[in-house]
């Protein structure tokens, strides 16, 4: 993988994700604000479903003395993450399937100050996500935090949801016409890259086409996290379509 411009791949992933979520950096800022407020500037972090390491990148830029363990199953995104952080002793990556009940056995530590995830767990349905939240309650130390920033749809507000979706998709259509890469376009480019072609093929063997789970509302996440063993949980940031739920052990 020598000679691959991993920074360019990271930037292209960020641009593709920002097409869907123009407020993406704001949710990361609030997430790290809450990390600092509740566990301090030197946390041991589990970057859950880490992808290319977007959270880890922002974590270490803000908190140079933090450490991060990234866990994911996607071989292509992990290749970008591993290439990007090669040689950084603060970062470890683990390949594991979060739907496997024994996934946490692959982690290098038994407890974490913070478990962070963004735009990743919506592909889990409610039952496996409930089970995962129970496992996370056992990984977060007392006083530590879990945060999930993701699509959380409140079905009690259908007119608001429809209006927001229409406006958001009109913006996306304009940007797509101007040349922005969407999810499918980005993966098509990765599939043609000499280094990423093979892990991209394996990625689609594992996942197939992208599919969403249940995307329950933020209040469901908060209630489920409290039932799992967290002492407090609530929304600390929201856009019209997404929320950041924070739980404290």
């Amino acid at each position: 993988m020598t000679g691959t411009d991993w920074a360019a791949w990271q930037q292209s992933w960020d641009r593709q994700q920002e097409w869907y979520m123009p407020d993406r950096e704001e949710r990361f800022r609030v997430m790290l604000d809450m990390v600092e407020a509740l566990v301090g500037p030197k946390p041991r972090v589990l970057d859950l479903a880490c992808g290319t390491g977007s959270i880890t990148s922002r974590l270490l830029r803000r908190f140079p003395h933090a450490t991060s363990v990234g866990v994911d199953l996607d071989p292509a995104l992990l290749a970008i993450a591993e290439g990007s952080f090669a040689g950084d002793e603060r970062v470890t990556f683990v390949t594991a399937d979060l739907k496997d009940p024994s996934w946490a056995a692959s982690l290098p530590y038994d407890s974490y100050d913070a478990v962070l995830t963004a735009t990743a767990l919506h592909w889990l349905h409610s039952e496996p996500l409930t089970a995962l939240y129970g496992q996370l309650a056992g990984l977060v130390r007392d006083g530590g935090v879990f945060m999930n920033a993701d699509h959380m749809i409140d079905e009690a507000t259908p007119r608001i949801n429809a209006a927001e979706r229409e406006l958001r998709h009109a913006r996306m259509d304009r940007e797509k016409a101007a040349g922005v890469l969407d999810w499918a376009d980005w993966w098509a480019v990765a599939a043609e890259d000499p280094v990423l072609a093979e892990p991209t093929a394996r990625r689609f063997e594992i996942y197939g086409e992208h599919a969403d789970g249940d995307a329950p509302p933020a209040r469901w996440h908060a209630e489920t996290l409290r039932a799992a063993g967290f002492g407090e949980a609530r929304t600390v940031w929201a856009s019209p379509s997404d929320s950041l739920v924070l739980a404290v052990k």
Side-chain angles (χ1 to χ4, degrees):
M1 295 193 289
T2 302
T4 299
D5 189 344
W6 297 117
W9 278 108
Q10 286 281 7
Q11 290 166 9
S12 70
W13 177 259
D14 283 344
R15 300 295 83 76
Q16 178 256 125
Q17 290 286 286
E18 287 165 0
W19 180 65
Y20 295 96
M21 299 165 289
D23 47 24
R24 186 168 178 255
E25 291 302 326
E26 179 68 5
R27 72 189 68 193
F28 288 146
R29 182 192 65 78
V30 175
M31 178 180 282
L32 296 181
D33 281 352
M34 293 297 96
V35 168
E36 183 172 9
L38 287 157
V39 300
K42 300 179 182 181
R44 175 192 290 168
V45 170
L46 177 60
D47 186 350
L48 193 70
C50 64
T52 66
S54 297
I55 290 175
T56 292
S57 174
R58 288 150 181 83
L59 172 79
L60 298 179
R61 195 156 58 230
R62 178 158 170 177
F63 306 126
H65 298 292
T67 57
S68 179
V69 176
V71 59
D72 208 304
L73 187 61
D74 189 313
L77 298 186
L78 278 174
I80 295 172
E82 291 167 348
S84 299
F85 295 95
D88 192 330
E89 295 181 353
R90 300 170 296 177
V91 184
T92 304
F93 290 104
V94 173
T95 300
D97 184 351
L98 297 181
K99 290 187 285 188
D100 180 344
S102 64
W103 70 271
S106 301
L107 300 177
Y109 306 107
D110 294 330
S111 68
Y112 296 83
D113 300 308
V115 177
L116 308 177
T117 189
T119 327
L121 301 187
H122 59 271
W123 50 266
L124 286 177
H125 289 279
S126 299
E127 186 174 345
L129 184 55
T130 299
L132 178 63
Y133 280 173
Q135 290 178 299
L136 297 179
L139 287 171
V140 175
R141 67 162 174 83
D142 288 346
V145 300
F146 166 70
M147 278 180 268
N148 180 13
D150 211 340
H151 311 312
M152 299 181 186
I153 307 301
D154 190 340
E155 299 296 345
T157 59
R159 288 183 296 170
I160 295 172
N161 298 349
E164 183 278 328
R165 179 181 174 84
E166 182 177 357
L167 182 67
R168 174 162 45 89
H169 279 260
R171 172 192 58 79
M172 293 168 69
D173 288 345
R174 291 192 301 270
E175 293 177 357
K176 183 74 159 58
V180 172
L181 295 181
D182 64 11
W183 172 269
D185 293 334
W186 190 91
W187 282 109
V189 173
E192 296 297 323
D193 183 80
V195 172
L196 290 179
E198 189 274 334
T200 295
R202 284 192 286 121
R203 184 251 179 234
F204 281 95
E205 289 175 3
I206 293 168
Y207 291 106
E209 294 302 319
H210 183 67
D212 287 342
D214 297 335
R219 63 179 178 275
W220 178 92
H221 290 269
E223 292 167 359
T224 303
L225 287 162
R226 288 192 292 268
F230 288 90
E232 299 178 11
R234 72 170 177 87
T235 300
V236 292
W237 174 90
S239 73
S241 60
D242 292 16
S243 294
L244 169 58
V245 172
L246 162 63
V248 181
K249 183 71 179 293

